[in-house]
Amino acid sequence: MKGILKYLVVALFALLGSKAGAQVGFPYCESFQTASTQANTIFGGDARLVDGVLRLTTNQLNQRGFVYFDIPFPSTYGLKVEFEYFSYGGTGLYLADGLSVFLFDGDTQNFNPGGFGGSLGYAQRSSEPGLSNGYLGIGFDEYGNFGNSSEGRNGGFAGIGQNVLVPNAIVLRGPGNGNSGYPFVVGRKTTSTGNDGLLPGGQFEISSGGSGTSRVTDPMQIGYRRVNLELQPDPDGVGFFITLSMVVTTQAGLPRQITIFDRPFDFPAPKNLKIGFAASTGGYSNFHEIRNLIVEVSADDKLLEPQGVDFSDFSSCAGQENQFYITDQEVVLPNENSAIRCLQFYNSEESIEGESEDICSQARCLEQNRVLIMPQGTFRASDQAGGFTFFPNEEYIGQEVTVFYTITDSYGKTSQGNSITLAIEESPKPINLQVSGQNEVIEKVDICQGDAVTFEGLGSEEYERFEWYKDGELIGGAIQQIFTTGEEGIYQVIGYNRKNCPAKSNEVKVAFPNFPAIGITSPVVGCEVGQPVDLTAYIPDYDPATYDYELSGSGLILLNDEMKTVSKSGDYQLRVKLKSLECYSDPVPLEVFIQEKELTVDFDFGVEGSGVKDVAGGGIFPDDVIEFFDLSDERAVKWEWDFGDGANSQDQNPKHVFGKKGEFEVELVITDMYGCQETVSQIVAVTRSFRLMVPTGFTPLDSQNKTFLPKQKGLVQFELLIFNIWGELIFSTNDLETEGWDGTLKGKLLDAGLYIYRVNGVATDGEKLEESGKFRLIR
């Protein structure tokens, strides 16, 4: 049979190749002893790859782990499963809970495991629903709940109460979904004999040991466990005939094969099934692990070998990698749900290898057959697909090359071998993708939405046909030299010469204009009265060489540098466009404000309570509270005071104590609602460190003004001396808290008349005071 091999360019091949690679199929072999697993192996919960095994749970409490294989297999062919499991190292008085292997409807869209704990990830458990569209659950139950009807499970071992534990049991449960179904079908108590137990001498525990035990991987050592499960399509009814056996070692050097079940499972099977595993712990714990998993179809005798075809009359092009694809439709795939899984190459029909006896070797392409180097060039198969490439050597231009290939389907069945014959042609030089009417090669074209650009593929020879691509995908119906588009994307054209060899062009990106940011904080303010504002200074990365900017509003339309002198307040709209295009960006609204009346700023100040502001008024002391009064423009909305001593205030009318003598330049900055500012400053002189006020007389016999006492401020030392007119000392005190002289001497009130005072003192800054004078005693 002759066929026509499909030739695809790189992008299309990658698309098809990834789609084909999604089907892995059977036999499915996963040792779990490598750093990663196949892409179709889906982990969940506490499941992890650890130390050469898939660990579903650790020996911690309340663990739940699961894994399933996202590969459907037709129930028509049945199933065979083999795996080792390791259950050990538990803590506490009991071991718990166990592990399960389950089947579910392969067409289920959303996978969810079942209840954990005693339901082992398969059946319902109280409010937890069971496995999505479950078909069969086999529980290897250590603790004993999978075989009873507690926690809402459907049925259990006969003759036991709802909550009675049945530890060391292997139990089959049937189909279910959500909170219904999953019925108890049959169970075996592995440490018992009788109807529900095993034949005498066949007893064993589900787990290989409790606390302190370790994983047993040697079949000759006590504690080893391997499971063999086969579901054969039942020729006499619905469902399957189930055979479950185990290899267990309870005596060193004596592994035994024990049959657990050999019976019908009379439940109609879904069209497709998928397989998975789960395990759980609860109030007690155990390690639960599996490895060396092999999944294959049961009815291998019903599987047929795929049939390839001989491909010829097709060309390859020297000096470049040619991409080809053998589709499922071009070959014969007789097995249900089958697809091309492996493509392998050989340089002669005699060198085609027969099917391996190793079931897992049938599941993958052999690396040595995926690449074939021949004198004419190199063939290279893609992963798990019907795609391949051929890179012909230029010295074989004008000749043909023949290679032999086999295909392996989803079930590991391999064809007998067929040939591919390719002519090696001279490759044309690359062609240029240009805008029609222009001579330069460009990388990008900007167009306005609603507009279009016309491309043309130009090369050094004549081309029989063209293929146009957008974003790596073939554009249907685009076969001419010229192509017009109004859509964004990356475009490329391939021209085929009379020998059907492709010449690929450069890529050109078509894009709608990416307008620069023109967002401006509004309003734009000019604070100098009558002076225009330069709006371009506010536009980020203003670039009039590349873009056109337009400002419109308030009866004006200004372009580019005309916006440097905007002299009118008002509401405007700003937009931008590429100089090469006519489409503008969406307009950005903004306000322009130009000050029409100058802001005025002023303030006054004085000592609180007295209004003193200078020496003439008595001077300002360091500890005086100074009041500042804003006399500025009523448009001010913000006040910033700098008192010249490191202190600041934002009150409109603040108060301040300078605390030391000196001249301080006090500055006031006012700001209006548009951010315009004005500044004024004044000098505040703090000149006095003390003050002394002496009365001219006193009246000792009145209720008021009955003592003579000069009032002072700022003194830390104070001495008051009183003399009569003959210079005789009649009173003295150095008490800062004194009430003064009461007009007596030795308890007797003196006569009215003139007296002399002298005050000696020291101010807070160390300045000395000596002052004297006359005053009158009035009677």
Side-chain angles (χ1 to χ4, degrees), residues 705-762:
N705 195 29
K706 60 191 300 183
T707 63
F708 175 78
L709 179 65
K711 293 184 178 180
Q712 61 88 14
K713 180 178 180 181
L715 296 180
V716 295
Q717 294 181 21
F718 174 79
E719 181 183 40
L720 174 63
L721 305 173
I722 307 295
F723 302 91
N724 60 23
I725 58 175
W726 294 283
E728 297 172 331
L729 178 68
I730 56 177
F731 176 81
S732 68
T733 182
N734 59 6
D735 184 2
L736 282 170
E737 304 298 327
T738 183
E739 294 183 358
W741 181 48
D742 61 0
T744 66
L745 177 64
K746 297 180 179 181
K748 181 180 179 181
L749 182 65
L750 298 182
D751 295 333
L754 291 174
Y755 290 85
I756 309 299
Y757 73 88
R758 188 167 74 196
V759 175
N760 300 317
V762 179

Short mmCIF file of all heavy atoms in Angstrom, two decimals, residues 705-762:
data_model
loop_
_atom_site.label_atom_id
_atom_site.label_comp_id
_atom_site.label_asym_id
_atom_site.label_seq_id
_atom_site.Cartn_x
_atom_site.Cartn_y
_atom_site.Cartn_z
N ASN A 705 -1.70 96.03 98.81
CA ASN A 705 -0.43 96.75 98.66
C ASN A 705 0.19 97.03 100.02
O ASN A 705 0.70 98.11 100.28
CB ASN A 705 -0.66 98.05 97.88
CG ASN A 705 0.65 98.65 97.38
OD1 ASN A 705 1.61 97.93 97.13
ND2 ASN A 705 0.69 99.97 97.25
N LYS A 706 0.16 95.99 100.89
CA LYS A 706 0.57 96.19 102.26
C LYS A 706 2.02 95.85 102.50
O LYS A 706 2.52 96.03 103.62
CB LYS A 706 -0.31 95.38 103.20
CG LYS A 706 -0.29 93.89 102.95
CD LYS A 706 -1.38 93.18 103.75
CE LYS A 706 -1.21 93.40 105.24
NZ LYS A 706 -2.23 92.65 106.01
N THR A 707 2.74 95.32 101.44
CA THR A 707 4.18 95.09 101.58
C THR A 707 4.87 95.69 100.37
O THR A 707 4.27 95.88 99.29
CB THR A 707 4.51 93.59 101.67
OG1 THR A 707 4.12 92.96 100.45
CG2 THR A 707 3.79 92.94 102.84
N PHE A 708 6.17 95.98 100.61
CA PHE A 708 6.99 96.48 99.51
C PHE A 708 7.76 95.29 98.93
O PHE A 708 8.56 94.66 99.64
CB PHE A 708 7.95 97.55 100.00
CG PHE A 708 8.90 98.01 98.92
CD1 PHE A 708 8.49 98.88 97.93
CD2 PHE A 708 10.21 97.52 98.89
CE1 PHE A 708 9.37 99.30 96.95
CE2 PHE A 708 11.08 97.94 97.88
CZ PHE A 708 10.66 98.83 96.91
N LEU A 709 7.48 94.97 97.64
CA LEU A 709 8.16 93.84 96.99
C LEU A 709 8.28 94.12 95.49
O LEU A 709 7.27 94.16 94.78
CB LEU A 709 7.39 92.52 97.18
CG LEU A 709 8.02 91.30 96.49
CD1 LEU A 709 9.39 90.99 97.11
CD2 LEU A 709 7.10 90.09 96.64
N PRO A 710 9.51 94.33 94.96
CA PRO A 710 9.69 94.46 93.51
C PRO A 710 9.29 93.13 92.82
O PRO A 710 9.65 92.05 93.31
CB PRO A 710 11.18 94.75 93.35
CG PRO A 710 11.61 95.29 94.67
CD PRO A 710 10.78 94.58 95.68
N LYS A 711 8.59 93.25 91.74
CA LYS A 711 8.23 92.04 90.97
C LYS A 711 9.34 91.72 89.98
O LYS A 711 9.86 92.62 89.32
CB LYS A 711 6.91 92.26 90.23
CG LYS A 711 5.71 92.40 91.17
CD LYS A 711 4.42 92.52 90.37
CE LYS A 711 3.23 92.61 91.32
NZ LYS A 711 1.94 92.73 90.55
N GLN A 712 9.70 90.44 89.89
CA GLN A 712 10.79 90.04 89.00
C GLN A 712 10.39 88.81 88.18
O GLN A 712 9.50 88.05 88.55
CB GLN A 712 12.06 89.76 89.80
CG GLN A 712 11.94 88.64 90.82
CD GLN A 712 12.24 87.26 90.26
OE1 GLN A 712 12.80 87.15 89.15
NE2 GLN A 712 11.87 86.23 90.99
N LYS A 713 11.14 88.65 87.09
CA LYS A 713 10.97 87.47 86.23
C LYS A 713 12.32 87.11 85.65
O LYS A 713 13.05 87.98 85.19
CB LYS A 713 9.97 87.76 85.10
CG LYS A 713 9.74 86.58 84.18
CD LYS A 713 8.71 86.94 83.11
CE LYS A 713 8.46 85.75 82.19
NZ LYS A 713 7.49 86.08 81.11
N GLY A 714 12.67 85.87 85.72
CA GLY A 714 13.90 85.40 85.10
C GLY A 714 15.08 85.37 86.02
O GLY A 714 16.20 85.10 85.56
N LEU A 715 14.90 85.66 87.33
CA LEU A 715 16.01 85.63 88.27
C LEU A 715 16.05 84.29 88.97
O LEU A 715 15.00 83.74 89.36
CB LEU A 715 15.86 86.74 89.31
CG LEU A 715 15.93 88.17 88.78
CD1 LEU A 715 15.77 89.16 89.93
CD2 LEU A 715 17.24 88.43 88.02
N VAL A 716 17.27 83.79 89.15
CA VAL A 716 17.45 82.55 89.90
C VAL A 716 18.04 82.84 91.28
O VAL A 716 18.03 81.98 92.15
CB VAL A 716 18.34 81.56 89.12
CG1 VAL A 716 17.64 81.11 87.85
CG2 VAL A 716 19.71 82.17 88.80
N GLN A 717 18.60 84.04 91.46
CA GLN A 717 19.06 84.52 92.78
C GLN A 717 18.50 85.93 92.98
O GLN A 717 18.48 86.74 92.03
CB GLN A 717 20.59 84.53 92.88
CG GLN A 717 21.22 83.14 92.82
CD GLN A 717 22.73 83.21 92.95
OE1 GLN A 717 23.30 84.20 93.46
NE2 GLN A 717 23.42 82.16 92.51
N PHE A 718 18.05 86.22 94.23
CA PHE A 718 17.38 87.50 94.49
C PHE A 718 17.69 87.95 95.91
O PHE A 718 17.55 87.17 96.87
CB PHE A 718 15.88 87.30 94.30
CG PHE A 718 15.05 88.50 94.67
CD1 PHE A 718 14.92 89.58 93.82
CD2 PHE A 718 14.39 88.56 95.90
CE1 PHE A 718 14.15 90.68 94.17
CE2 PHE A 718 13.62 89.64 96.25
CZ PHE A 718 13.49 90.71 95.38
N GLU A 719 18.17 89.20 96.05
CA GLU A 719 18.42 89.79 97.37
C GLU A 719 17.79 91.18 97.41
O GLU A 719 18.01 92.00 96.53
CB GLU A 719 19.92 89.89 97.66
CG GLU A 719 20.20 90.48 99.05
CD GLU A 719 21.70 90.66 99.29
OE1 GLU A 719 22.41 91.07 98.34
OE2 GLU A 719 22.15 90.40 100.42
N LEU A 720 16.95 91.43 98.48
CA LEU A 720 16.28 92.73 98.66
C LEU A 720 16.78 93.36 99.97
O LEU A 720 16.71 92.73 101.04
CB LEU A 720 14.76 92.52 98.72
CG LEU A 720 13.94 93.77 99.06
CD1 LEU A 720 14.12 94.84 97.97
CD2 LEU A 720 12.45 93.40 99.23
N LEU A 721 17.31 94.58 99.84
CA LEU A 721 17.81 95.34 100.99
C LEU A 721 17.01 96.64 101.12
O LEU A 721 16.80 97.34 100.11
CB LEU A 721 19.29 95.65 100.83
CG LEU A 721 20.23 94.44 100.59
CD1 LEU A 721 21.65 94.93 100.28
CD2 LEU A 721 20.24 93.54 101.81
N ILE A 722 16.57 97.02 102.38
CA ILE A 722 15.83 98.26 102.64
C ILE A 722 16.63 99.12 103.62
O ILE A 722 17.09 98.62 104.70
CB ILE A 722 14.42 97.98 103.22
CG1 ILE A 722 13.66 96.99 102.30
CG2 ILE A 722 13.63 99.29 103.40
CD1 ILE A 722 13.35 97.55 100.93
N PHE A 723 16.79 100.40 103.27
CA PHE A 723 17.55 101.35 104.11
C PHE A 723 16.66 102.56 104.42
O PHE A 723 15.77 102.92 103.60
CB PHE A 723 18.80 101.84 103.39
CG PHE A 723 19.75 100.73 102.99
CD1 PHE A 723 19.62 100.13 101.75
CD2 PHE A 723 20.77 100.31 103.84
CE1 PHE A 723 20.48 99.12 101.35
CE2 PHE A 723 21.63 99.30 103.43
CZ PHE A 723 21.50 98.70 102.19
N ASN A 724 16.94 103.17 105.59
CA ASN A 724 16.28 104.47 105.84
C ASN A 724 17.10 105.55 105.17
O ASN A 724 18.15 105.26 104.56
CB ASN A 724 16.10 104.72 107.34
CG ASN A 724 17.44 104.74 108.10
OD1 ASN A 724 18.49 104.98 107.52
ND2 ASN A 724 17.39 104.47 109.41
N ILE A 725 16.66 106.79 105.30
CA ILE A 725 17.32 107.86 104.54
C ILE A 725 18.71 108.15 105.07
O ILE A 725 19.49 108.88 104.45
CB ILE A 725 16.47 109.13 104.52
CG1 ILE A 725 16.19 109.59 105.95
CG2 ILE A 725 15.18 108.90 103.76
CD1 ILE A 725 15.44 110.94 106.01
N TRP A 726 19.03 107.61 106.30
CA TRP A 726 20.38 107.81 106.85
C TRP A 726 21.31 106.66 106.47
O TRP A 726 22.45 106.59 106.91
CB TRP A 726 20.31 107.93 108.37
CG TRP A 726 19.57 109.19 108.78
CD1 TRP A 726 20.01 110.46 108.78
CD2 TRP A 726 18.24 109.20 109.25
NE1 TRP A 726 19.04 111.35 109.21
CE2 TRP A 726 17.91 110.58 109.51
CE3 TRP A 726 17.22 108.26 109.49
CZ2 TRP A 726 16.65 110.99 109.99
CZ3 TRP A 726 16.01 108.69 109.98
CH2 TRP A 726 15.71 110.01 110.21
N GLY A 727 20.81 105.75 105.65
CA GLY A 727 21.64 104.65 105.16
C GLY A 727 21.71 103.46 106.08
O GLY A 727 22.55 102.57 105.89
N GLU A 728 20.83 103.43 107.11
CA GLU A 728 20.84 102.31 108.03
C GLU A 728 19.98 101.17 107.49
O GLU A 728 18.85 101.39 107.02
CB GLU A 728 20.32 102.75 109.41
CG GLU A 728 21.19 103.81 110.04
CD GLU A 728 20.54 104.36 111.32
OE1 GLU A 728 19.28 104.36 111.40
OE2 GLU A 728 21.28 104.75 112.20
N LEU A 729 20.55 99.93 107.49
CA LEU A 729 19.82 98.75 107.00
C LEU A 729 18.72 98.40 107.99
O LEU A 729 18.99 98.16 109.17
CB LEU A 729 20.77 97.57 106.82
CG LEU A 729 20.13 96.28 106.35
CD1 LEU A 729 19.63 96.44 104.90
CD2 LEU A 729 21.12 95.11 106.44
N ILE A 730 17.49 98.33 107.47
CA ILE A 730 16.37 98.02 108.36
C ILE A 730 15.65 96.72 107.94
O ILE A 730 14.82 96.20 108.68
CB ILE A 730 15.37 99.18 108.41
CG1 ILE A 730 14.87 99.52 106.99
CG2 ILE A 730 15.98 100.42 109.07
CD1 ILE A 730 13.81 100.61 106.98
N PHE A 731 15.97 96.16 106.71
CA PHE A 731 15.34 94.89 106.27
C PHE A 731 16.18 94.27 105.17
O PHE A 731 16.71 94.99 104.31
CB PHE A 731 13.92 95.13 105.75
CG PHE A 731 13.26 93.90 105.21
CD1 PHE A 731 12.67 92.98 106.05
CD2 PHE A 731 13.26 93.62 103.83
CE1 PHE A 731 12.07 91.84 105.55
CE2 PHE A 731 12.65 92.50 103.34
CZ PHE A 731 12.06 91.59 104.18
N SER A 732 16.30 92.95 105.16
CA SER A 732 16.98 92.24 104.07
C SER A 732 16.40 90.83 103.93
O SER A 732 15.94 90.24 104.93
CB SER A 732 18.49 92.18 104.31
OG SER A 732 18.78 91.34 105.42
N THR A 733 16.41 90.30 102.73
CA THR A 733 15.99 88.92 102.45
C THR A 733 16.61 88.46 101.13
O THR A 733 16.86 89.27 100.22
CB THR A 733 14.45 88.79 102.36
OG1 THR A 733 14.11 87.40 102.14
CG2 THR A 733 13.89 89.62 101.22
N ASN A 734 16.89 87.16 101.02
CA ASN A 734 17.34 86.56 99.74
C ASN A 734 16.43 85.41 99.32
O ASN A 734 16.82 84.53 98.56
CB ASN A 734 18.79 86.11 99.83
CG ASN A 734 18.99 85.07 100.94
OD1 ASN A 734 18.03 84.62 101.56
ND2 ASN A 734 20.25 84.72 101.18
N ASP A 735 15.22 85.43 99.86
CA ASP A 735 14.23 84.38 99.57
C ASP A 735 13.47 84.75 98.29
O ASP A 735 12.82 85.81 98.23
CB ASP A 735 13.27 84.24 100.74
CG ASP A 735 12.28 83.10 100.55
OD1 ASP A 735 12.37 82.39 99.50
OD2 ASP A 735 11.39 82.93 101.41
N LEU A 736 13.59 83.87 97.28
CA LEU A 736 12.87 84.14 96.02
C LEU A 736 11.36 84.14 96.23
O LEU A 736 10.61 84.73 95.44
CB LEU A 736 13.24 83.08 94.96
CG LEU A 736 14.58 83.26 94.26
CD1 LEU A 736 14.91 82.01 93.43
CD2 LEU A 736 14.56 84.49 93.36
N GLU A 737 10.89 83.49 97.30
CA GLU A 737 9.46 83.40 97.56
C GLU A 737 9.00 84.41 98.62
O GLU A 737 7.89 84.30 99.15
CB GLU A 737 9.10 81.98 98.01
CG GLU A 737 9.51 80.89 97.05
CD GLU A 737 8.81 81.05 95.71
OE1 GLU A 737 7.65 81.52 95.69
OE2 GLU A 737 9.43 80.72 94.68
N THR A 738 9.84 85.37 98.95
CA THR A 738 9.50 86.35 100.00
C THR A 738 8.24 87.14 99.68
O THR A 738 7.93 87.36 98.50
CB THR A 738 10.66 87.32 100.23
OG1 THR A 738 10.32 88.21 101.32
CG2 THR A 738 10.95 88.14 98.98
N GLU A 739 7.54 87.56 100.76
CA GLU A 739 6.35 88.41 100.58
C GLU A 739 6.71 89.90 100.63
O GLU A 739 5.84 90.76 100.47
CB GLU A 739 5.31 88.09 101.65
CG GLU A 739 4.74 86.69 101.52
CD GLU A 739 3.66 86.43 102.57
OE1 GLU A 739 3.40 87.33 103.40
OE2 GLU A 739 3.08 85.34 102.54
N GLY A 740 8.03 90.21 100.89
CA GLY A 740 8.48 91.61 100.91
C GLY A 740 8.52 92.23 102.31
O GLY A 740 8.34 91.55 103.34
N TRP A 741 8.83 93.55 102.37
CA TRP A 741 8.94 94.30 103.65
C TRP A 741 7.58 94.83 104.03
O TRP A 741 6.90 95.47 103.21
CB TRP A 741 9.97 95.42 103.52
CG TRP A 741 10.14 96.20 104.80
CD1 TRP A 741 10.32 95.73 106.04
CD2 TRP A 741 10.12 97.62 104.90
NE1 TRP A 741 10.44 96.73 106.96
CE2 TRP A 741 10.33 97.94 106.28
CE3 TRP A 741 9.99 98.68 104.01
CZ2 TRP A 741 10.37 99.26 106.75
CZ3 TRP A 741 10.06 99.97 104.50
CH2 TRP A 741 10.24 100.26 105.85
N ASP A 742 7.20 94.59 105.33
CA ASP A 742 5.86 95.02 105.79
C ASP A 742 5.87 96.39 106.46
O ASP A 742 4.87 96.81 107.05
CB ASP A 742 5.27 93.98 106.74
CG ASP A 742 6.11 93.78 107.99
OD1 ASP A 742 7.16 94.44 108.11
OD2 ASP A 742 5.73 92.93 108.82
N GLY A 743 7.05 97.11 106.42
CA GLY A 743 7.13 98.48 106.98
C GLY A 743 7.47 98.53 108.44
O GLY A 743 7.43 99.61 109.05
N THR A 744 7.86 97.42 109.05
CA THR A 744 8.16 97.40 110.48
C THR A 744 9.63 97.18 110.71
O THR A 744 10.35 96.69 109.83
CB THR A 744 7.38 96.29 111.20
OG1 THR A 744 7.85 95.02 110.75
CG2 THR A 744 5.88 96.41 110.95
N LEU A 745 10.02 97.55 111.92
CA LEU A 745 11.38 97.27 112.38
C LEU A 745 11.24 96.78 113.81
O LEU A 745 10.69 97.49 114.68
CB LEU A 745 12.25 98.53 112.33
CG LEU A 745 13.68 98.35 112.85
CD1 LEU A 745 14.45 97.37 111.98
CD2 LEU A 745 14.41 99.71 112.90
N LYS A 746 11.69 95.60 114.07
CA LYS A 746 11.58 94.97 115.38
C LYS A 746 10.13 94.96 115.84
O LYS A 746 9.81 95.17 117.00
CB LYS A 746 12.46 95.65 116.41
CG LYS A 746 13.95 95.55 116.06
CD LYS A 746 14.79 96.24 117.12
CE LYS A 746 16.28 96.13 116.78
NZ LYS A 746 17.14 96.79 117.82
N GLY A 747 9.24 94.73 114.88
CA GLY A 747 7.83 94.57 115.21
C GLY A 747 7.06 95.87 115.30
O GLY A 747 5.83 95.86 115.52
N LYS A 748 7.72 97.05 115.10
CA LYS A 748 7.06 98.35 115.21
C LYS A 748 7.00 99.00 113.84
O LYS A 748 7.99 99.04 113.14
CB LYS A 748 7.83 99.23 116.19
CG LYS A 748 7.19 100.62 116.37
CD LYS A 748 8.01 101.46 117.35
CE LYS A 748 7.40 102.85 117.51
NZ LYS A 748 8.20 103.71 118.45
N LEU A 749 5.78 99.45 113.49
CA LEU A 749 5.58 100.11 112.20
C LEU A 749 6.32 101.42 112.18
O LEU A 749 6.19 102.26 113.11
CB LEU A 749 4.09 100.33 111.94
CG LEU A 749 3.75 100.96 110.59
CD1 LEU A 749 4.14 100.02 109.43
CD2 LEU A 749 2.24 101.27 110.51
N LEU A 750 7.11 101.64 111.15
CA LEU A 750 7.90 102.88 111.02
C LEU A 750 7.03 103.99 110.46
O LEU A 750 5.94 103.79 109.93
CB LEU A 750 9.10 102.61 110.12
CG LEU A 750 10.11 101.56 110.63
CD1 LEU A 750 11.27 101.45 109.67
CD2 LEU A 750 10.60 101.89 112.03
N ASP A 751 7.63 105.20 110.56
CA ASP A 751 6.90 106.39 110.13
C ASP A 751 6.82 106.42 108.62
O ASP A 751 7.65 105.85 107.90
CB ASP A 751 7.60 107.66 110.63
CG ASP A 751 7.59 107.77 112.16
OD1 ASP A 751 6.64 107.18 112.75
OD2 ASP A 751 8.51 108.38 112.69
N ALA A 752 5.81 107.16 108.15
CA ALA A 752 5.68 107.38 106.71
C ALA A 752 6.85 108.21 106.23
O ALA A 752 7.44 109.00 106.98
CB ALA A 752 4.35 108.06 106.40
N GLY A 753 7.20 108.02 104.94
CA GLY A 753 8.30 108.77 104.38
C GLY A 753 9.03 107.99 103.30
O GLY A 753 8.57 106.93 102.85
N LEU A 754 10.22 108.56 102.92
CA LEU A 754 11.01 107.93 101.86
C LEU A 754 11.98 106.93 102.46
O LEU A 754 12.58 107.17 103.52
CB LEU A 754 11.79 108.98 101.07
CG LEU A 754 10.95 109.92 100.20
CD1 LEU A 754 11.84 111.01 99.59
CD2 LEU A 754 10.22 109.14 99.12
N TYR A 755 12.16 105.85 101.70
CA TYR A 755 13.10 104.81 102.08
C TYR A 755 13.88 104.40 100.83
O TYR A 755 13.50 104.70 99.69
CB TYR A 755 12.37 103.60 102.66
CG TYR A 755 11.76 103.89 104.01
CD1 TYR A 755 10.49 104.48 104.10
CD2 TYR A 755 12.45 103.58 105.18
CE1 TYR A 755 9.93 104.76 105.33
CE2 TYR A 755 11.86 103.86 106.42
CZ TYR A 755 10.62 104.44 106.50
OH TYR A 755 10.06 104.73 107.71
N ILE A 756 14.97 103.70 101.04
CA ILE A 756 15.87 103.30 99.94
C ILE A 756 15.81 101.76 99.80
O ILE A 756 15.82 101.04 100.80
CB ILE A 756 17.32 103.73 100.22
CG1 ILE A 756 17.38 105.21 100.60
CG2 ILE A 756 18.20 103.43 99.00
CD1 ILE A 756 16.86 106.16 99.54
N TYR A 757 15.78 101.31 98.51
CA TYR A 757 15.85 99.86 98.27
C TYR A 757 17.07 99.54 97.42
O TYR A 757 17.56 100.40 96.68
CB TYR A 757 14.58 99.34 97.56
CG TYR A 757 14.52 99.74 96.10
CD1 TYR A 757 15.11 98.94 95.10
CD2 TYR A 757 13.88 100.92 95.71
CE1 TYR A 757 15.05 99.32 93.78
CE2 TYR A 757 13.84 101.30 94.40
CZ TYR A 757 14.42 100.49 93.40
OH TYR A 757 14.39 100.86 92.09
N ARG A 758 17.57 98.35 97.55
CA ARG A 758 18.60 97.85 96.63
C ARG A 758 18.30 96.37 96.35
O ARG A 758 18.05 95.60 97.29
CB ARG A 758 19.99 98.00 97.22
CG ARG A 758 21.09 97.65 96.17
CD ARG A 758 22.45 98.09 96.64
NE ARG A 758 22.92 97.19 97.69
CZ ARG A 758 23.94 97.51 98.50
NH1 ARG A 758 24.53 98.69 98.41
NH2 ARG A 758 24.33 96.66 99.45
N VAL A 759 18.33 96.01 95.04
CA VAL A 759 18.09 94.63 94.61
C VAL A 759 19.36 94.10 93.95
O VAL A 759 19.90 94.71 93.01
CB VAL A 759 16.91 94.52 93.62
CG1 VAL A 759 16.77 93.09 93.11
CG2 VAL A 759 15.63 94.97 94.29
N ASN A 760 19.84 92.96 94.44
CA ASN A 760 20.94 92.22 93.82
C ASN A 760 20.39 90.87 93.31
O ASN A 760 19.62 90.21 94.03
CB ASN A 760 22.06 91.96 94.82
CG ASN A 760 22.64 93.25 95.37
OD1 ASN A 760 22.86 94.22 94.62
ND2 ASN A 760 22.87 93.29 96.68
N GLY A 761 20.78 90.48 92.08
CA GLY A 761 20.26 89.20 91.56
C GLY A 761 21.11 88.63 90.43
O GLY A 761 21.99 89.31 89.88
N VAL A 762 20.80 87.39 90.10
CA VAL A 762 21.45 86.69 88.98
C VAL A 762 20.35 86.10 88.11
O VAL A 762 19.45 85.40 88.62
CB VAL A 762 22.40 85.58 89.47
CG1 VAL A 762 23.02 84.86 88.25
CG2 VAL A 762 23.50 86.16 90.35
#
